[in-house]
């Protein structure tokens, strides 16, 4: 009786079928769902660390009161005459400076290995970046709202009325969200959170303080006046003033919206590309 040894068939293909759902790119609806899930994660993280709200709650109170009472008499002759200049300027300046924290927090998460876990998930590459950016809108809303409320408590009465003030409030939040993509990109290319924070300050503080946020631009020397005119923050400040003081949707409002959209169109893809290379 002969014994036959059964050997495995090495010619047979044992390749597993590829999961089409994992290999395909997420749809637009799936990308939005994944982004909102990441946003909810960031929101919970914010409320578990209330110190993240210190800058958006204390800064509007301090800056609005301090700059108004210190510079009001020197620049406009009285605090009341200075408020139509400084309140819209502080509104834009406060919300814009709060977006600097976006890149620092992103870099900290990447250093802790949080984003390494996202690498194994079948999610859109932009979701881990767009989610925190969407959640950070809460901070911009708080900063903008508090600035307006402090101005009203100090006696400022916007000539643009409710709808002009609402439009200025919305424009400020959109400007902060769009500029946050610059710092998101910095968070993906810098090596440490401290480097991101230092670079962000070097970018935003000259742009905000060398603008028309605090003084009329026609009072500045010629070389500085030329810089203020091309400063993107000045366009946002002027647009906010036009909306709050006059209720007018001027060309400056259109330029501000166009500039903010261009920032997102440029730096959002750069951030996603840099993030994809990092992981």
């Amino acid at each position: 009786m002969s014994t036959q040894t059964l050997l495995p068939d090495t010619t047979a293909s044992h390749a597993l079928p590829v999961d089409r759902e994992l290999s395909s790119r997420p749809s637009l609806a799936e990308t939005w769902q994944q982004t909102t899930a990441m946003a909810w994660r960031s929101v919970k993280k914010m409320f578990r660390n209330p110190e993240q709200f210190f800058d958006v709650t204390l800064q509007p109170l301090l800056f609005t009161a301090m700059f108004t009472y210190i510079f009001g008499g020197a620049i406009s002759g009285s605090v009341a005459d200075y408020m139509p200049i400084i309140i819209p300027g502080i509104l834009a300046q406060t919300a814009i400076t709060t977006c600097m924290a976006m890149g620092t927090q992103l870099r900290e998460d990447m250093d802790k290995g949080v984003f390494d876990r996202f690498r194994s998930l079948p999610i859109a590459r932009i979701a881990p970046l767009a989610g925190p950016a969407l959640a950070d809108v809460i901070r911009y809303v708080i900063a903008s709202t508090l600035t307006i409320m402090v101005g009203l408590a100090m006696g400022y009465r916007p000539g643009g009325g409710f709808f002009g003030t609402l439009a200025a409030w919305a424009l400020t939040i959109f400007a902060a969200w769009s500029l946050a993509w610059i710092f998101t990109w910095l968070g993906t290319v810098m090596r440490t959170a401290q480097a991101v924070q230092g670079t962000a300050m070097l970018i935003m503080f000259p742009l905000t303080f060398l603008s028309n946020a605090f003084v009329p631009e026609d009072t500045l020397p010629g070389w500085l006046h030329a810089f203020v005119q091309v400063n993107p923050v000045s366009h946002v400040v002027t647009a906010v003033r036009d909306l709050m003081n006059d209720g007018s949707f001027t060309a400056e409002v259109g330029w501000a919206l166009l500039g903010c959209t261009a920032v997102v169109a440029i730096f959002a893809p750069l951030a996603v590309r840099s993030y994809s290379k990092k992981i």
Side-chain angles (χ1 to χ4, degrees):
M1 182 176 179
S2 61
T3 302
Q4 294 182 350
T5 303
L6 298 178
L7 299 176
D9 185 2
T10 57
T11 62
S13 175
H14 296 283
L16 295 176
V18 178
D19 191 339
R20 294 181 179 179
E21 184 178 356
L22 294 179
S23 62
S24 61
R25 299 180 62 180
S27 65
L28 185 60
E30 292 171 339
T31 300
W32 172 250
Q33 292 175 352
Q34 295 157 7
T35 299
T36 54
M38 291 295 178
W40 179 240
R41 169 188 173 273
S42 297
V43 169
K44 291 194 294 184
K45 180 181 175 182
M46 286 182 188
F47 285 99
R48 289 174 182 173
N49 299 278
E51 61 271 13
Q52 294 188 18
F53 293 103
F54 285 172
D55 60 335
V56 298
T57 53
L58 298 180
Q59 183 173 316
L61 302 177
L62 293 175
F63 277 21
T64 304
M66 181 175 63
F67 283 108
T68 301
Y69 287 117
I70 290 177
F71 298 130
I75 294 176
S76 298
S78 67
V79 171
D81 292 336
Y82 188 49
M83 283 187 181
I85 297 176
I86 190 62
I87 299 300
I90 290 291
L91 176 63
Q93 184 260 349
T94 300
I96 290 173
T97 53
T98 55
C99 71
M100 294 190 300
M102 179 67 194
T104 304
Q105 295 170 4
L106 175 65
R107 184 70 256 178
E108 289 177 350
D109 282 345
M110 294 181 69
D111 291 340
K112 293 177 182 178
V114 175
F115 281 78
D116 292 336
R117 303 176 184 178
F118 299 152
R119 179 172 52 186
S120 60
L121 300 177
I123 60 177
R125 292 301 187 193
I126 196 174
L129 304 179
L134 182 61
D136 225 39
V137 171
I138 296 175
R139 301 176 71 252
Y140 312 147
V141 169
I142 294 174
S144 302
T145 303
L146 285 179
T147 302
I148 294 175
M149 291 178 64
V150 172
L152 293 175
M154 294 172 61
Y156 173 58
R157 297 297 178 262
F162 174 78
F163 291 105
T165 303
L166 181 63
W169 175 83
L171 174 61
T172 304
I173 295 171
F174 177 64
W177 176 80
S178 62
L179 290 176
W181 281 103
I182 299 177
F183 305 108
T184 299
W185 173 69
L186 287 176
T188 62
V189 298
M190 295 289 178
R191 295 183 178 181
T192 63
Q194 291 79 6
V196 176
Q197 185 177 13
T199 305
M201 288 184 178
L202 288 176
I203 294 174
M204 286 308 301
F205 274 95
L207 288 179
T208 53
F209 284 98
L210 298 181
S211 68
N212 61 351
F214 305 102
V215 297
E217 60 184 65
D218 54 3
T219 63
L220 301 174
W223 62 271
L224 185 55
H225 183 268
F227 175 79
V228 168
Q229 286 186 320
V230 298
N231 187 342
V233 175
S234 296
H235 290 286
V236 174
V237 172
T238 302
V240 171
R241 283 189 183 133
D242 290 342
L243 291 170
M244 291 192 73
N245 294 329
D246 303 323
S248 303
F249 287 82
T250 61
E252 287 291 341
V253 178
W255 282 114
L257 292 173
L258 181 62
C260 293
T261 304
V263 168
V264 177
I266 294 172
F267 285 95
L270 287 176
V272 174
R273 181 179 300 179
S274 178
Y275 164 72
S276 299
K277 292 180 179 179
K278 293 289 184 181
I279 64 173

